[in-house]
Structure formats: structure tokens, C-alpha cells
Amino acid sequence: MIRFTIAFLLLTVCIHGFAQSSIDNVLREIEKNNKSLQSEKQYWETEKLSYRTGLNPENPKAEYDYLPGSPAGAGNQTDMSVTQSFDFPTAYGKRRSVSKEQVQQAEYKFQVTRQEILLEAKLICLELVHRNKLSEQLSQRLQSASKLVEATNQKATLGETNVLDLNKIKLLRLEIKNDLERNEMAVVNLKQKLTELNGNVIPEMNVLTYPVLPTLPVFETLDSLIEANDPIVKVYQQDVTIGAEQVALSKSITLPKLEAGYHYQAILGQRYQGFHIGTSIPLWENKNKVKAQQARLSFSEIQVQEHRIEHHSRNRRVYESHLHWRNTVSEYQELLTASNNEALLTKSFEAGQISLIEYLMEVRYLYDAVERFLSAENELNDTVAVLYKFEL
């Protein structure tokens, strides 16, 4: 039984490439039901509306004055005016440019949150695959240990072995049983986490399998691909674009403002009416605004460079980790294929060719190797998920 299971494990990497994984289905369901994503989407939609406000000229201003004269007979005076003030014409185009870039950045920021949540969910799904495989292993080990306990118990009854050996076999079974229960508890916790991410709705999960592992390109190619598509990078780049537009906007705002309108006046039976034209004198109201925006732009440019260095380093670490786990999985596959002697160990022990101590040492070594293989396989899939997060 154990030999069959290990053979199955060694074929897993090939088999799961042809199996239909339901991880993508779980992620689509979480994207639809996750409350944090719903809240985040609503927040950024609100921010987009705020970015689109204040792009038009100020409201027109209407004034009316009625001034009775004194003493009697002095006549009354009536004044009425309607005026409209304007920024310098180029300011409106610059405001719209800033608004457009801010709206685009809001979309990138939402994508950052979305990908973080989906990556968390995907890593949980990958851990579930690992835990389910481990449960299968532990269940079959428990069956084998139980059969061995029965066989050893019969030998003890016939006086062919002693109680100490029987207790050691029972201890092995107990350890496996406890490991299985702990693993099953971990599976329950992982499913609960997925349920929470899915808006407290139990996601539809069939038998999850590892997705097909892509063949990674050389690091420089993959790093460039990540930089070109990662929304976090685009958020920082948008800061620079917005900063440049705001510098141009600040320059336009410092130019004279204009005012135009209609003015009517009536006094002592005489009426006067005509156009009103005015302008502001840009002396001190917007002093240092351009310098402040230029300083913010310089800060944003430094942030882009800082993030690029940090991002490149992080990508490199994950990539190197991927290469390590890929080699580890390959080595374990080769070694487990060559050293699959659990069935032979059991027969040798039952035939009295090896001692119980030798059997327990060898079988524990084999169990440990299989578990390390499963962990390495899980780590390998995790690194791929992190590297290709930008595709979520």
C-alpha cells in the first residue's frame, strides 16, 4: 500500500498538469464575494468622483443693490452686476490631465489590493492541496501501522515477541494518528480562512490540485515582465506622472485670473450699463506653489527608484528560492524512486530478518523523506504563485 502511494506521489507533478484544477474557480468566487474587495472598490469609485470635481470654472456671481436716497428727493440708486471669474485658460486643461491620471492611479491601487487578497487565497488553496496529500499519506500509514499492531499482537499472544515491541508499534501508530488529526485540523482551519475570504460563504471546492507549473524564463526576462505588469509599480509611476502634471498646473494657476460680466447702474433717473472685465495681479497668493510641487515630484521620482531596487531584490530572492525548490523536488523524486523499500522493510521485519529498532528507524526515515518531498512541492508552487501574482 505504501509503495503504491509513494509511486503515486512521484507521478503527481506530471499528473496534475493534466488534471482540472478548481483553484481558479475558487479565486473567481472569492473575487466576487470578498467583502474587503467590495468595500475597496466602492472606496475608489468614490475617490474617482472626487477627482472629477472642481474641473470647471467657478459659479457665476450675481449682485443687486438698491440704495434709497436721503434726504427726500435725492433719488434712489440701483446697481446690478453678473460676473464670471476664470483661471488662466490653460489651467482647465491641466486640471483635467491631473484628474485623468488620478483616476487611472485609483484603478491601479484597487488592483494592488485585489491581487493581494487573491494571492492570499491562492496560497491557502495550495496549502490545502499539500494538506490533502499529506492526509492521504497519513491515512494509509495509519492503516499499515494498525495492521502491523494486529500482527505483532498475535505474535505476542503466541510468545513470538514481547510486550515492549508491541508497545513500540502501538506508539508508532499513535504518533501517526496524532499527526493525522493535527493535519485534519489544519485542513479545517484553511477551509475556514477561505470561507472568510469568500464573504463567509463556503466556496465550492472540488478536489483541489496543483496548477500546471510554467517553465520560468531567465530572471532578467521575468523581472522585466513583472515590472511591466505589476500594479504596485504602476502606482509609483503614476505618482511621477501626476506630479509632473501638477507642476504644470501650478504654473498655470500662478498666471493672472480673469473676470468678465455685465454691470447695470441707475441713479437720479440716469441709467448706465455695460461690460465688466477684470484681472488679478499674481503677487503673493500662490508664492512657492510651483516649488512645492516640484519638490513633491522629486520625492516621487526617488520613490520609484527605491521601489525598483527593492522590487528587483525581492523578485530575485523568490526566483532563487524557486530554483532551489525545483531542484529539491527533482532530487527527492529521484531518491524516493530508488529507495522505495517500505514494503520490503515490512516483510523483513515480519520474517524476523531485521529488528524492531531497525524497522522503526528505516520507516521513520522514509516517512520523513516523503513529507519533505510534499513540503518542497508546496514551496515550489508557492514561489510560482508569488512570481506570477501580477497575472491574478
XYZ file of all heavy atoms in Angstrom, residues 253-257 280-290:
132
model
N -1.815 78.086 -12.577
C -2.589 78.756 -11.529
C -1.929 80.068 -11.111
O -2.603 81.013 -10.694
C -2.762 77.812 -10.330
C -3.704 76.660 -10.691
C -3.305 78.548 -9.113
C -3.873 75.628 -9.600
N -0.615 80.142 -11.224
C 0.075 81.384 -10.823
C -0.105 82.501 -11.847
O 0.247 83.654 -11.564
C 1.576 81.117 -10.639
O 2.131 80.593 -11.856
C 1.815 80.127 -9.508
N -0.647 82.190 -13.010
C -0.907 83.220 -14.020
C -2.146 84.019 -13.625
O -2.963 83.574 -12.816
C -1.091 82.564 -15.387
C 0.148 81.850 -15.950
C -0.202 81.112 -17.226
C 1.284 82.826 -16.186
N -2.326 85.233 -14.187
C -3.464 86.091 -13.790
C -4.808 85.411 -14.015
O -5.023 84.737 -15.028
C -3.302 87.321 -14.693
C -1.864 87.333 -15.084
C -1.452 85.898 -15.169
N -5.731 85.600 -13.075
C -7.109 85.157 -13.240
C -7.908 86.234 -13.961
O -7.586 87.423 -13.874
C -7.740 84.855 -11.881
C -7.128 83.661 -11.174
C -7.869 83.344 -9.891
C -7.280 82.114 -9.208
N -8.000 81.762 -7.972
N -6.679 89.519 -12.057
C -5.940 89.542 -10.793
C -4.470 89.830 -11.071
O -3.990 89.613 -12.182
C -6.086 88.206 -10.064
O -5.450 87.188 -10.808
N -3.806 90.308 -10.061
C -2.375 90.574 -10.176
C -1.644 89.519 -9.339
O -1.754 89.507 -8.108
C -2.027 91.991 -9.684
C -2.803 93.032 -10.504
C -0.529 92.237 -9.774
C -2.639 94.441 -10.004
N -0.963 88.567 -9.968
C -0.334 87.452 -9.236
C 0.920 87.891 -8.477
O 2.028 87.829 -8.992
C 0.003 86.462 -10.344
C 0.189 87.309 -11.563
C -0.746 88.482 -11.417
N 0.710 88.312 -7.235
C 1.837 88.775 -6.435
C 2.289 87.744 -5.406
O 3.406 87.263 -5.431
C 1.469 90.094 -5.747
C 1.293 91.305 -6.687
C 0.921 92.539 -5.882
C 2.572 91.558 -7.480
N 1.392 87.387 -4.465
C 1.852 86.548 -3.351
C 0.940 85.367 -3.002
O 1.300 84.511 -2.240
C 2.012 87.408 -2.093
C 0.862 88.357 -1.867
C -0.382 88.054 -1.469
C 0.892 89.761 -2.076
N -1.165 89.170 -1.410
C -0.403 90.248 -1.762
C 1.873 90.681 -2.481
C -0.741 91.602 -1.855
C 1.541 92.020 -2.570
C 0.255 92.479 -2.266
N -0.282 85.331 -3.564
C -1.230 84.267 -3.175
C -0.665 82.874 -3.436
O -0.795 81.974 -2.619
C -2.551 84.429 -3.926
C -3.577 83.346 -3.591
C -4.856 83.481 -4.402
O -4.943 84.394 -5.238
O -5.767 82.656 -4.185
N -0.043 82.661 -4.577
C 0.451 81.327 -4.964
C 1.967 81.215 -4.887
O 2.575 80.393 -5.573
C -0.017 81.006 -6.390
C -1.519 80.855 -6.470
O -2.120 80.153 -5.667
N -2.141 81.534 -7.434
N 2.559 82.045 -4.051
C 4.009 82.016 -3.912
C 4.478 80.637 -3.417
O 3.893 80.071 -2.503
C 4.461 83.100 -2.938
C 5.972 83.224 -2.809
C 6.345 84.343 -1.852
C 7.863 84.469 -1.739
N 8.264 85.544 -0.802
N 5.498 80.092 -4.041
C 6.134 78.817 -3.689
C 5.296 77.582 -4.045
O 5.718 76.462 -3.738
C 6.485 78.761 -2.198
C 7.561 79.765 -1.831
O 8.456 80.043 -2.625
N 7.471 80.321 -0.627
N 4.136 77.773 -4.667
C 3.349 76.587 -5.041
C 4.082 75.730 -6.070
O 4.082 74.504 -5.996
C 1.980 77.007 -5.589
C 0.916 77.172 -4.523
C -0.471 77.207 -5.126
C -1.526 77.174 -4.017
N -2.905 77.187 -4.566
N 4.682 76.370 -7.052
C 5.398 75.615 -8.077
C 6.581 74.878 -7.461
O 6.820 73.700 -7.744
C 5.866 76.555 -9.209
C 6.739 75.779 -10.208
C 4.668 77.158 -9.917
